[in-house]
Amino acid sequence: MTSAAMIISVLLVTTLFGVVSAARPPYPSECASAGDPNPSLRRDKLTVLMNGFSESRIPLLRSLAATYAFSPTVSSVLVLWGNPSTAPRVTLQLARNLSLSSPKISLLRQRTPSLNNRFLPRPNDIATDAVLICDDDVEVDPTSLEFAFRVWTRNPTRIIGLFARSHDLDLDRKSWVYTVHPDRFSIILTKFMILKTHYLFLYTCHPRMAHVREAVDLVRNCEDILMNFLVANETDAGPILVGAKKVRDFGDKRNEKGSDENQSVSGVGLSSRKGEHGKRRGWCIGEFHRVLGRMPLRYSYGKVVDSIREQGLCHKGGKLVFCDQ
C-alpha cells in the first residue's frame, strides 16, 4: 500500500470513529458578523478572491491580480495569502506592490493554510452579490470574464465556471469516484468559479458543514467539491460551464512541457496534486455523501459560449476552418 493510500485509510477510520468532528469548533469567528443574504450588495460587479501560497508564483500573481483589477466588471480583488510561514517582509512588500498596481487590490494574510479559508464570508471586505474564486496561475482574458459574469447574472443561484469535472459511481467497488466525462459534468473547479456571495456564509457557518470542512483540512484538498455539493443541495441543479476565448492554466503540467516558466509554477500549490490526487478526491465525494446523508451533485451538459465563433472546425475547400466562416 502506498503512503497516500495509507493516509486515506487512516482518514476513513478516524472519520468513522468521530475523530474528525472534534478537530475544531463548528462556528468560525467569521460567522459572528455574517448572516442572511444582504440586499444592499452590489449586483452589477463582482469581487475576486484569488488564492496565493507560493512565493515562486508572486510575479504571476501580481500580473493576474492587476488584470482582474482593470476589468470594469470587478469591484475589488482580494488576494488571500494562505502560507502563514511566509516572512512578513515578503507579504508586506507584496501588499505594497499590489496596491501600487491598483487601489482595488488588497492582500489578506490568512492565519492558517486551510483551503476552507477560500470560502470565508468576509462581510467587511465583500460588497458584491457575486464572487469569483480563482487561482494564482490561471489567466483568463477580460472578455471571457465579462461573459461569464453575464451568464451568472442570468443564473445567480448556480455555479458558473471554466473548468469542469465529474463524479461517478464504481459499481464493482460500490464507491464514488472523481473523473472526467466528455459529455457531462457535475463539478466546477476553483481555478475559476463564480457564485453567490451568500454561499460563502453557508459553507462556513451552517452547522452541518462543520464535519465536512474538517475532511477538507485533513486531505488539504476538495474544497471545490464541497462547495459544489452545497450549491447543488440548495438548488437541485448542476453547475454551468462557459467557454473562454483565451484561458491559460500555468499550473497544468500538460501545457508547454519543458518551459522554464511553466515548471516554476506547476506543482507548488497548496492542494495536493501528485500521485493519489484522484483517489483522495474520490474519497472526498464518498465522505461528503456519507456525512451529509445524500448525493446532491447533478449532471449538466454542454457549454455556454459567447458567439458562434466558438463552434467546432469544419472541412471547407479542403481546409479546416471555423464552421461559421
Side-chain angles (χ1 to χ4, degrees):
M1 180 181 292
T2 65
S3 59
M6 291 177 65
I7 291 173
I8 292 177
S9 298
V10 170
L11 291 176
L12 182 58
V13 171
T14 56
T15 302
L16 290 173
F17 282 89
V19 175
V20 169
S21 63
R24 60 188 298 189
Y27 297 103
S29 59
E30 290 79 8
C31 297
S33 55
D36 295 332
N38 186 350
S40 66
L41 294 176
R42 295 189 62 168
R43 291 178 169 81
D44 60 332
K45 294 181 181 292
L46 55 74
T47 300
V48 176
L49 303 178
M50 178 183 290
N51 216 41
F53 185 83
S54 173
E55 293 180 41
S56 67
R57 287 184 181 176
I58 285 179
L60 179 60
L61 181 152
R62 289 177 55 190
S63 174
L64 297 180
T67 300
Y68 280 123
F70 288 140
S71 170
T73 301
V74 173
S75 172
S76 63
V77 179
L78 305 179
V79 176
L80 312 178
W81 192 257
N83 189 347
S85 64
T86 302
R89 60 176 177 77
V90 175
T91 52
L92 285 173
Q93 185 61 50
L94 175 58
R96 291 192 193 100
N97 292 336
L98 289 172
S99 62
L100 288 174
S101 299
S102 170
K104 287 185 179 181
I105 310 176
S106 301
L107 180 73
L108 302 181
R109 183 164 178 164
Q110 309 306 295
R111 296 188 301 272
T112 72
S114 172
L115 286 168
N116 289 314
N117 291 337
R118 305 188 77 169
F119 298 129
L120 291 176
R122 308 182 192 278
N124 296 326
D125 300 302
I126 299 174
T128 60
D129 196 36
V131 291
L132 165 61
I133 312 295
C134 62
D135 285 347
D136 59 353
D137 58 357
V138 175
E139 180 182 25
V140 178
D141 68 283
T143 300
S144 296
L145 167 63
E146 294 168 13
F147 172 64
F149 180 62
R150 289 200 305 272
V151 173
W152 179 85
T153 60
R154 296 192 292 269
N155 304 272
T157 63
R158 310 274 288 278
I159 292 180
I160 311 297
L162 301 180
F163 301 87
R165 299 292 186 268
S166 184
H167 72 296
D168 208 345
L169 184 63
D170 186 328
L171 294 177
D172 293 333
R173 298 183 178 181
K174 296 181 181 179
S175 62
W176 295 105
V177 295
Y178 174 78
T179 186
V180 178
H181 282 298
D183 59 341
R184 65 186 187 272
F185 57 92
S186 56
I187 297 167
I188 292 293
L189 305 185
T190 44
K191 290 176 180 289
F192 186 99
M193 169 194 287
I194 299 178
L195 71 161
K196 197 172 186 63
T197 299
H198 182 59
Y199 291 141
L200 305 182
F201 169 76
L202 295 181
Y203 182 101
T204 303
C205 306
H206 195 288
R208 290 194 64 193
M209 296 295 290
H211 298 344
V212 280
R213 286 199 315 273
E214 289 154 7
V216 169
D217 284 336
L218 281 170
V219 294
R220 297 178 66 187
N221 206 320
C222 305
E223 82 286 356
D224 50 353
I225 297 176
L226 183 53
M227 178 57 82
N228 280 271
F229 260 74
L230 185 153
V231 176
N233 190 64
E234 291 289 309
T235 63
D236 198 29
I240 296 176
L241 179 67
V242 297
K245 296 185 183 302
K246 178 185 176 183
V247 58
R248 185 178 181 187
D249 182 358
F250 289 88
D252 192 330
K253 291 184 177 181
R254 295 172 299 179
N255 293 330
E256 299 183 0
K257 290 184 178 179
S259 165
D260 291 339
E261 178 187 54
N262 193 59
Q263 290 176 0
S264 68
V265 297
S266 62
V268 295
L270 181 56
S271 294
S272 54
R273 294 185 178 183
K274 299 179 181 179
E276 303 292 325
H277 176 69
K279 289 184 179 180
R280 290 191 182 201
R281 289 171 72 79
W283 176 85
C284 287
I285 293 172
E287 182 66 2
F288 298 161
H289 176 207
R290 185 191 71 81
V291 175
L292 297 176
R294 65 185 297 257
M295 172 49 72
L297 293 180
R298 296 291 180 267
Y299 290 118
S300 296
Y301 304 85
K303 179 171 67 175
V304 181
V305 298
D306 194 11
S307 71
I308 57 175
R309 287 178 294 175
E310 295 195 38
Q311 291 183 17
L313 296 174
C314 296
H315 284 282
K316 292 184 179 181
K319 298 181 179 180
L320 277 175
V321 298
F322 286 113
C323 297
D324 60 329
Q325 291 182 353

